[in-house]
Amino acid sequence: MNAIDERYKHALIEEHESYVRARRTKDAEQVAAVLREQYGHEVGEGKAETKAKEPAPQTTAEPRPPEAAVAPKPEPASAEVKPTATKKTAAKRAQAKPAEDK
């Protein structure tokens, strides 16, 4: 049997199991008939029912931290602090005022 046929067979088995869990017996019987005719596969009625009755194992996932609305600012590339344009402008204004007083 080639890979595609194996996938179809697996999909039909899963479909059958889902119908059994949902207690849709007519649909489950139709899928079981297709599995028998085309693939020679007998489905286990009791096997799917026991899976449905068993509770799914609960896994505890670690809680994720909330996402920030704004990305954090990157760290400065170097430790040196460079003067900004506002400081230079303020220094020029301070020098200009004494000249106006004369």
Side-chain angles (χ1 to χ4, degrees), residues 44-56:
E45 296 292 330
K47 185 178 179 181
E49 288 178 6
T50 55
K51 283 185 181 178
K53 292 180 182 178
E54 293 176 7

Side-chain angles (χ1 to χ4, degrees), residues 86 88-98 100:
T86 56
K88 290 179 183 177
T89 310
K92 287 181 183 178
R93 287 184 192 159
Q95 292 174 358
K97 283 186 180 181
E100 290 176 10

Side-chain angles (χ1 to χ4, degrees), residues 44 49 59-61 70 78 84:
E49 288 178 6
T59 58
T60 55
V70 179
S78 64
T84 60

Side-chain angles (χ1 to χ4, degrees), residues 9 12-13 16 31-41 43:
K9 179 180 172 184
L12 286 170
I13 292 170
H16 177 266
V31 174
V34 170
L35 282 167
R36 273 192 298 276
E37 292 171 14
Q38 292 184 3
Y39 299 102
H41 180 79
V43 291

